[in-house]
Amino acid sequence: MKALKITIGTLIVAVIIILCFSLLVKNELADMLNPFILQKDVFVKIDETGKKVDPKTYEYALEGINEDGKKIKIVFTASKQLREGAYLKIDTKRTYVKSWEEVQQSDLPSVVRDKIE
């Protein structure tokens, strides 16, 4: 019985720590590992050249629109300079960018298409 109480107490403390970690810590690694943060698509239009970080990496800091129509600041890297005017669909978990792909303007959700122009 005592072992059960210790186990339950330990689990409760672990859950509290995980919840605090997920709410208070906002960095790429924490967002990637946090199971409580949902993956969302953010759409951006490349309207500037990327900042060269090293010989093969370019960083972009853009304002995007998520599927709900909310504006979101997004920072991601690419292994090449991206084409100006291109539309990207970015798979994110808050600050963590899992992947990105170029899409056609016609593939954008209508709520995004109206706001991204």
Side-chain angles (χ1 to χ4, degrees):
M1 191 67 177
K2 189 174 184 178
L4 181 61
K5 287 182 180 179
I6 291 172
T7 303
I8 291 173
T10 303
L11 287 174
I12 290 171
V13 169
V15 167
I16 290 170
I17 289 171
I18 289 171
L19 286 174
C20 289
F21 184 72
S22 69
L23 295 174
L24 301 176
V25 177
K26 290 186 180 179
N27 69 36
E28 229 177 305
L29 180 61
D31 290 348
M32 178 181 70
L33 299 174
N34 189 333
F36 300 109
I37 298 174
L38 301 176
Q39 286 185 293
K40 291 192 173 193
D41 291 332
V42 175
F43 298 88
V44 298
K45 181 177 182 180
I46 303 297
D47 57 2
E48 60 184 53
T49 57
K51 177 182 157 194
K52 195 169 193 174
V53 177
D54 63 45
K56 293 185 178 181
T57 307
Y58 296 87
E59 181 179 83
Y60 292 85
L62 302 168
E63 189 172 86
I65 310 288
N66 70 10
E67 296 167 316
D68 302 327
K70 289 175 59 180
K71 291 184 178 184
I72 294 180
K73 179 89 170 164
I74 189 111
V75 178
F76 66 99
T77 58
S79 59
K80 62 180 182 175
Q81 195 71 257
L82 299 176
R83 181 177 60 83
E84 278 199 50
Y87 295 95
L88 300 182
K89 174 182 171 184
I90 303 173
D91 186 11
T92 67
K93 280 182 78 175
R94 200 162 49 185
T95 60
Y96 170 66
V97 174
K98 181 178 179 184
S99 64
W100 59 265
E101 66 175 313
E102 186 172 338
V103 295
Q104 299 299 314
Q105 183 180 14
S106 59
D107 295 333
L108 299 174
S110 60
V111 68
V112 172
R113 197 175 315 127
D114 296 339
K115 293 184 176 188
I116 206 165
E117 302 285 327

